[in-house]
Amino acid sequence: MTVHNLYLFDRNGVCLHYSEWHRKKQAGIPKEEEFKLMYGMLFSIRSFVSKMSPLDMKDGFLAFQTSRYKLHYYETPTGIKVVMNTDLGVGPIRDVLHHIYSALYVELVVKNPLCPLGQTVQSELFRSRLDSYIRSLPFFSARAG
Amino acid sequence: MSRQANRGTESKKMSSELFTLTYGALVTQLCKDYENDEDVNKQLDKMGYNIGVRLIEDFLARSNVGKCHDFRETADVIAKVAFKMYLGITPSITNWSPAGDEFSLILENNPLVDFVELPDNHSSLIYSNLLCGVLRGALEMVQMAVEAKFVQDTLKGDGVTEIRMRFIRRIEDNLPVGEE
């Protein structure tokens, strides 16, 4: 069981942060384009999911999975989006994604007046805390599973 | 150098006098820097806006409130959750407009103005204008363009402090320009 990578986007599609832990295959396009592709896809899926829902929507889009990986999604009312790719053994992790938002992004970036919003996070503290947190998760194993 | 361990959702207690005095010092300094009250009001609004755009994230992280479905729900959350969380007071919501796009927040007491009296030469100063900026900034980040203004103020002799909130329009999500 493992975490492959993590993206953090803001409401305008700016990729605030990207980290990877176990990624054996790259997308084959420059990182900038990869982020735009990811954001555009999420934007479309969210709107698709809410249009086509046969029942009243509660949380909206949560995750999708393929035969090799699962993509988990969490969005706040302010448009901050946390996207994590894990392997298939991992169940719903909304609380983990919420923790990344509240205890890491809000505490270390939003509350720091020297960290400008709306651009890639430069804070080394954020990067290293996020890394330790991910590595401490029960479904993260140092060897790619 | 390591930061203190994460406090989670506990709130740190601090002296409310220190808060009131700090705010007072801020307003006093602005009055010295900008000679007229209108400019001070604008600065307070701008500072409040910058606070609001960040404060909303902290609010959402701590309160677990989801997206509001309409302006009435927003009003409830502002008065009963947000004001309580940050200022320790619960304003009441009154004077809804017939279209449901305007309401008033009535503050019986305003922690920003403890010990404060407005001198005569600052009669058009809106002392607590920071609050209007905070409300505007915070709501803009959850896609609502609103106008907030003081219509009654205990500092000016009124019985209560009243903030009028008006919904202007919804701000739509924009797909970033330049999708190749």
Side-chain angles (χ1 to χ4, degrees), chain B residues 103-132:
Chain B
F103 67 92
S104 287
L105 287 163
I106 310 281
L107 287 74
E108 302 284 315
N109 66 309
N110 178 356
L112 295 175
V113 310
D114 290 339
F115 331 129
V116 174
E117 261 182 33
L118 272 190
D120 295 325
N121 57 331
H122 286 290
S123 53
S124 54
L125 177 67
I126 309 172
Y127 186 84
S128 307
N129 210 30
L130 195 90
L131 288 182
C132 294

Side-chain angles (χ1 to χ4, degrees), chain A residues 62-83:
Chain A
L62 296 176
F64 75 63
Q65 72 180 60
T66 74
S67 52
R68 301 302 307 274
Y69 72 93
K70 188 167 174 181
L71 179 146
H72 304 260
Y73 178 77
Y74 175 77
E75 183 183 348
T76 70
T78 44
I80 302 294
K81 302 166 175 68
V82 186
V83 184

Side-chain angles (χ1 to χ4, degrees), chain A residues 11-14 33 36-37 39-40 43 46 57 74-81 98-99 101-117 125 129, chain B residues 1-8 53-62 64-69 138-144 171-180:
Chain A
R11 56 204 289 249
N12 296 316
V14 174
E33 285 186 32
K36 276 201 218 156
L37 182 64
Y39 188 82
F43 193 87
R46 262 174 56 225
M57 282 265 284
Y74 175 77
E75 183 183 348
T76 70
T78 44
I80 302 294
K81 302 166 175 68
H98 177 75
H99 185 268
Y101 169 69
S102 64
L104 295 171
Y105 177 69
V106 170
E107 284 296 308
L108 302 176
V109 178
V110 175
K111 285 186 175 173
N112 180 350
L114 299 177
C115 277
L117 300 181
L125 180 63
R129 284 280 176 85
Chain B
M1 183 159 73
S2 65
R3 217 165 172 265
Q4 279 178 6
N6 203 325
R7 298 189 301 276
V53 302
R54 293 189 184 237
L55 199 71
I56 182 73
E57 307 276 8
D58 177 65
F59 174 70
L60 290 172
R62 278 161 54 189
N64 276 321
V65 166
K67 248 197 159 95
C68 288
H69 296 103
L139 288 173
E140 188 176 302
M141 299 306 274
V142 286
Q143 298 165 290
M144 281 181 258
I171 304 173
E172 287 309 328
D173 260 343
N174 285 321
L175 198 60
V177 177
E179 286 294 308
E180 278 123 80

Side-chain angles (χ1 to χ4, degrees), chain B residues 128-175:
Chain B
S128 307
N129 210 30
L130 195 90
L131 288 182
C132 294
V134 173
L135 288 165
R136 187 171 64 89
L139 288 173
E140 188 176 302
M141 299 306 274
V142 286
Q143 298 165 290
M144 281 181 258
V146 298
E147 184 196 43
K149 60 178 201 269
F150 278 89
V151 294
Q152 288 195 78
D153 197 343
T154 48
L155 284 185
K156 302 199 172 148
D158 297 314
V160 291
T161 302
E162 180 183 344
I163 302 176
R164 190 84 186 142
M165 301 284 297
R166 182 171 71 90
F167 179 81
I168 301 175
R169 70 188 135 76
R170 201 175 160 67
I171 304 173
E172 287 309 328
D173 260 343
N174 285 321
L175 198 60

Side-chain angles (χ1 to χ4, degrees), chain B residues 75-117:
Chain B
D76 272 341
V77 170
I78 293 174
K80 295 175 186 150
V81 190
F83 265 86
K84 187 105 196 355
M85 188 188 280
Y86 292 109
L87 292 176
I89 57 175
T90 311
S92 43
I93 303 172
T94 61
N95 286 349
W96 276 100
S97 66
D101 63 346
E102 283 190 40
F103 67 92
S104 287
L105 287 163
I106 310 281
L107 287 74
E108 302 284 315
N109 66 309
N110 178 356
L112 295 175
V113 310
D114 290 339
F115 331 129
V116 174
E117 261 182 33

